Amino acid sequence: PKENQSYLFGSGGFSAILSNIFTLPSAVSFAKLRGSYATTGNDASPYLTAQFYNFAPGGNGGFIARNGVKPFPDLKPELTTAKELGLEAKFFNDRFGFDLGFYTSDSKNQLFRVSVPPASGWSSEYVNAGLVNNKGVELTLNGSPIAKGSFRWNIDLNFAKNVNKLVELSPTLKTLALTNDFMVFQRAVEGEPLGQMYSRGYQRDASGNVIVGTNGLPLITPGTTVDIGNSRPDWTGGLNNTINYKNFSISALITARVGGNVTSFTNAIIYADGQTAETLAGRSSYTFPGVTAAGGTNSVATTAEKYWKFVGGRNTPVGEVWSYSATNVRLREASISYALPKNLFKKAPFQAGSVALVGRNLFFILNKAKGFDPESTAGATNTSVGQEGFSLPSTRQIGLNLNLSF
């Protein structure tokens, strides 16, 4: 509509070097306070406000079909308002320092596509809905514990935590399906954080015990009503160490992703096919640890094959069984380099050079997911985070780098 064809957004910020304004203790060599306020807009795809038709080849002159998406004449642009406040400081002649930042952002008028009853004549429609709040903290610490002569040891530590919440969806819509997978469903629920995953799961009694049927197999919920966790991490961090001695440099980067959940469709299939060591136990007899409907301890035996095929396989596997913690800590990168002596370049067109042995994604220090990289995803969309399916194994890369500067 004409009144929504343009939108105004801008930004502003400030910074104050406190160490120049105030007389600070001698240990403080630098201090800066900063802040910013910004509004950004996000436009929608074209052709959403009016009816349009699709042409398909065929017949004598082709076919024209009406698009099944209901026109949205009251379309509004998505707007995000962000605020940030930060403090940066360095101590003891820049030997140690930190950078601390706090932020909050609100996104409104987000565009969602929802299904409508077929009797309306349309298959779906777009709505402007949602107020999503993100707030968090980012911290970077850096220091040089040892700096003497040609030897120097540098440490960099970073930490980030983000908390998001769907504050409001719409007056008439409180839950919105974001994905419709046959194992994992992601829904936007008003009052809950985005990234919540739901699936079928075990039926439990009031004490949380799994209820077992008369055949020895656990009872499963008929619908995807079980909350199996959030795909987003609680926090992320990294630790980088660099040691320099004369022309040599050694560095190692460790990263951590703590919290959150990930599901594995791959495991649902290979466990049902009996391809893992965990399926060996109980192949002749297996008693599931649960309770009967009457409340007594289950004593009815089944087999591991029946259990794994019941909860796994290709057809609607039970997502609760295949949900794991996504917490992992890994050696992300390590390198050793040597700066070539400058006298080698006296008659060359280069001013400096170095050679380095570099390794990336070398190994896990901790991985709570079973048999796969928890950072693997089933696709490239935002809603595919936390869902693994037939992903290739993570690649360990080792290479030799030669860097020349002119």
Side-chain angles (χ1 to χ4, degrees):
K2 186 175 181 179
E3 60 271 17
N4 294 334
Q5 288 180 358
S6 64
Y7 44 93
L8 179 66
F9 57 91
S11 64
F14 76 91
S15 63
I17 301 179
L18 304 179
S19 53
N20 290 347
I21 300 174
F22 304 103
T23 301
L24 302 178
S26 58
V28 182
S29 52
F30 177 81
K32 183 176 76 171
L33 180 67
R34 69 178 185 275
S36 65
Y37 177 92
T39 302
T40 58
N42 186 23
D43 212 345
S45 302
Y47 315 122
L48 297 184
T49 59
Q51 179 65 62
F52 72 96
Y53 297 82
N54 298 318
F55 174 81
N60 293 327
F63 300 96
I64 295 178
R66 190 191 71 174
N67 185 272
V69 180
K70 184 179 179 180
F72 188 23
D74 298 324
L75 176 66
K76 298 178 182 178
E78 178 184 333
L79 293 176
T80 298
T81 302
K83 292 169 282 188
E84 181 183 5
L85 184 66
L87 177 65
E88 180 183 355
K90 297 179 181 179
F91 306 90
F92 306 109
N93 295 322
D94 299 345
R95 285 282 297 275
F96 300 94
F98 72 85
D99 190 336
L100 177 64
F102 298 92
Y103 65 87
T104 180
S105 67
D106 291 302
S107 299
K108 65 178 183 179
N109 296 336
Q110 296 183 87
L111 195 62
F112 294 106
R113 185 172 177 173
V114 298
S115 300
V116 296
S120 67
W122 314 96
S123 60
S124 61
E125 67 176 350
Y126 283 96
V127 295
N128 277 124
L131 172 60
V132 178
N133 174 260
N134 281 275
K135 56 185 176 182
V137 58
E138 296 176 340
L139 173 64
T140 300
L141 301 175
N142 54 76
S144 300
I146 302 176
K148 187 175 183 180
S150 57
F151 183 88
R152 189 177 183 91
W153 174 25
N154 296 324
I155 298 178
D156 296 285
L157 176 68
N158 65 75
F159 169 86
K161 180 178 178 62
N162 180 77
V163 178
N164 76 73
K165 182 180 180 180
L166 179 58
V167 180
E168 180 184 359
L169 198 51
S170 80
T172 59
L173 192 64
K174 301 303 178 183
T175 301
L176 176 66
L178 300 178
T179 61
N180 291 303
D181 189 76
F182 50 85
M183 184 173 81
V184 179
F185 291 71
Q186 288 199 30
R187 303 187 182 105
V189 181
E190 190 170 279
E192 299 290 334
L194 295 177
Q196 289 294 120
M197 299 183 294
Y198 299 84
S199 184
R200 296 192 305 147
Y202 297 127
Q203 291 188 30
R204 302 176 184 271
D205 62 14
S207 301
N209 301 308
V210 179
I211 302 174
V212 182
T214 56
N215 59 356
L217 295 173
L219 299 182
I220 306 300
T221 59
T224 57
T225 56
V226 178
D227 185 345
I228 58 174
N230 194 287
S231 61
R232 273 52 172 178
D234 294 334
W235 60 270
T236 59
L239 174 64
N240 186 65
N241 281 274
T242 303
I243 296 176
N244 297 296
Y245 179 68
K246 294 185 177 180
N247 288 17
F248 289 93
S249 178
I250 300 175
S251 68
L253 172 63
I254 297 174
T255 61
R257 183 186 191 277
V258 179
N261 286 70
V262 60
T263 60
S264 175
F265 182 54
T266 303
N267 279 0
I269 291 179
I270 63 176
Y271 274 68
D273 291 342
Q275 299 297 314
T276 64
E278 287 87 344
T279 63
L280 293 174
R283 292 198 171 187
S284 58
S285 179
Y286 173 65
T287 303
F288 185 87
V291 299
T292 64
T297 302
N298 174 53
S299 60
V300 180
T302 181
T303 63
E305 179 182 5
K306 290 181 180 180
Y307 170 74
W308 293 116
K309 285 186 175 181
F310 179 66
V311 298
R314 297 178 180 271
N315 298 318
T316 60
V318 181
E320 181 183 357
V321 180
W322 313 111
S323 176
Y324 309 93
S325 170
T327 295
N328 70 92
V329 180
R330 72 182 78 198
L331 181 59
R332 180 75 64 175
E333 182 174 320
S335 68
I336 179 171
S337 64
Y338 176 73
L340 301 174
K342 291 187 177 181
N343 57 18
L344 295 177
F345 304 99
K346 288 182 178 180
K347 297 182 180 181
F350 313 110
Q351 294 182 350
S354 65
V355 60
L357 179 65
V358 181
R360 294 184 176 90
N361 201 33
L362 293 174
F363 57 83
F364 283 105
I365 300 172
L366 172 68
N367 182 11
K368 290 192 174 181
K370 284 191 175 181
F372 65 96
D373 187 342
E375 295 184 9
S376 301
T377 61
T381 62
N382 194 36
T383 53
S384 64
V385 177
Q387 299 181 53
E388 183 275 339
F390 298 107
S391 60
L392 295 174
S394 298
T395 303
R396 179 185 296 113
Q397 300 177 351
I398 299 176
L400 188 65
N401 293 344
L402 176 63
N403 296 316
L404 299 171
S405 57
F406 297 88

